[in-house]
Amino acid sequence: MVTRPVLQQQSLGEAIKSLGGKAIHFPLIDIVQLTRAEDIKYLENKIRAIDDYQVLIFVSANAARFSKEWFTNCGVKIPEIITVIAIGPATARTVSELFGCTVIHSDVGVTSEDLLSLRELEEIAGKHIGVLRGKGGRELLSAELRERGAVVDYFEVYRRKIHDYEPKELIDVVNRKQVNVFTITSGEALVRLSELAVDNKATLSLIPLVVPSARLADQAEKLGYKIVRNSNGADDVSMLAALQDIASDDTRHN
C-alpha cells in the first residue's frame, strides 16, 4: 500500500510493479494550494523580499514544487548569493532542477536533526533564514536555528488536508487487495493510518510497515506496530530497497 499524496505516488508505484509487486494507492494526506487571502499575501511579501535572506531551507520535494510556482508567479529568482539547503538528496535534486541552483544536503540522513548537523548551519548568529514548507509541521528545526541566533521565517507554500475515508474503507482495501506491506512517509500519515485502523488495529499492526526515518520508526512502534522497517530515506530508491528486504525475508521464511 502506497500512502503518499497523489502527486507523489506514481514513481514508487511503477518501481514496485517493475519488480513484480503490486502497488495499491491509498493516499492518506492531500497536498493542496493555499486558499486564505492573508496566507497568500504574507507568502508573496516574503518571496518579494528574498534579498533579505542569507539561507533558504527546503524541507520536502513538495515544498520545492510549490515554491517554484509561487516564485514564478511573483517573478522572483533565488539570488546566487543565498545558501540553499534541502532536507535530503531527493529534495536537493528537485530544488536544483527547478531553480537551477547549487543545493546542499546532509549525507547522513533526512531528518531535521541530520540537517542541523551541517557545517553551513553552525555559525548562523544574525543570519536571516527562510524555511520553505507546508503549513504546520515540526518546530524542531526553526527552534534550534533560533537558539543558534538566526532569524527564522516560514515560507508556507502549501497546506495539507486529511484525505476523507471511513475506517471500513481501509480494512476493505487491505483484505480485497491482499495488502501485506504499508509504506508511510510522514508522521501525519502514520497517525491517520492509526486513526483508520480502530477496531482492526491488532490485525493491521502485524503487517510490515516501511518508514523513512528512525524518528518515525520509534513513533510507529509506540503506536503498536510490530514489524517496522526504517528505509533511511523517503526517496524511491530507499523505500524500494526496504521493500525488497521484506520480500527477501518472506522468501527465506517460506
Side-chain angles (χ1 to χ4, degrees):
M1 178 173 280
V2 179
T3 63
R4 287 175 172 175
V6 172
L7 293 177
Q8 283 74 58
Q9 289 186 351
Q10 184 176 355
S11 59
L12 180 58
E14 289 177 351
I16 291 169
K17 292 174 186 176
S18 73
L19 293 175
K22 181 183 290 185
I24 310 303
H25 296 295
F26 196 84
L28 293 171
I29 304 293
D30 294 327
I31 304 298
V32 297
Q33 292 280 3
L34 300 177
T35 54
R36 295 176 57 196
E38 54 265 44
D39 291 337
I40 293 171
K41 182 178 180 180
Y42 178 84
L43 174 60
E44 290 178 339
N45 287 340
K46 288 296 179 187
I47 291 172
R48 293 192 175 105
I50 198 67
D51 290 333
D52 294 342
Y53 295 86
Q54 288 79 54
V55 180
L56 293 180
I57 300 176
F58 290 82
V59 302
S60 68
N62 281 324
R65 296 186 188 99
F66 278 85
S67 293
K68 177 58 177 176
E69 185 174 339
W70 284 108
F71 273 65
T72 299
N73 290 344
C74 292
V76 173
K77 293 184 178 180
I78 297 177
E80 292 183 8
I81 197 172
I82 291 181
T83 299
V84 181
I85 299 174
I87 195 74
T91 299
R93 284 193 299 272
T94 301
V95 174
S96 181
E97 290 168 1
L98 291 173
F99 288 91
C101 60
T102 299
V103 184
I104 298 164
H105 67 84
S106 170
D107 292 323
V108 298
V110 294
T111 66
S112 295
E113 291 84 349
D114 298 320
L115 195 105
L116 287 163
S117 69
L118 286 171
R119 175 178 55 81
E120 290 80 3
L121 293 178
E122 290 177 358
E123 302 296 332
I124 55 173
K127 288 189 176 182
H128 284 69
I129 299 178
V131 178
L132 297 101
R133 67 174 199 170
K135 289 188 68 64
R138 295 181 77 198
E139 298 298 325
L140 172 68
L141 177 61
S142 61
E144 178 58 29
L145 293 174
R146 289 175 179 133
E147 183 69 20
R148 296 178 186 182
V151 178
V152 182
D153 289 326
Y154 288 130
F155 289 54
E156 294 182 320
V157 295
Y158 65 87
R159 62 187 178 90
R160 302 173 188 84
K161 185 175 74 171
I162 299 297
H163 198 100
D164 189 23
Y165 294 112
E166 293 295 329
K168 66 182 180 65
E169 292 181 77
L170 173 61
I171 193 65
D172 285 350
V173 170
V174 168
N175 290 336
R176 183 162 39 85
K177 299 291 188 177
Q178 298 181 315
V179 171
N180 51 18
V181 185
F182 291 118
T183 64
I184 292 286
T185 52
S186 73
E188 288 173 299
L190 179 58
V191 169
R192 182 58 176 153
L193 181 66
S194 294
E195 290 173 347
L196 292 172
V198 287
D199 294 339
N200 301 293
K201 183 66 177 291
T203 299
L204 297 180
S205 68
L206 298 176
I207 296 175
L209 178 69
V210 178
V211 297
S213 69
R215 179 180 64 85
L216 276 186
D218 182 62
Q219 183 181 348
E221 289 167 358
K222 288 178 179 176
L223 285 170
Y225 292 93
K226 308 301 183 185
I227 309 170
V228 182
R229 185 69 59 93
N230 176 11
S231 66
N232 291 303
D235 58 285
D236 292 347
V237 173
S238 300
M239 298 295 284
L240 202 62
L243 291 171
Q244 288 177 296
D245 285 345
I246 291 172
S248 297
D249 289 345
D250 289 345
T251 299
R252 285 195 295 270
H253 293 156
N254 290 334

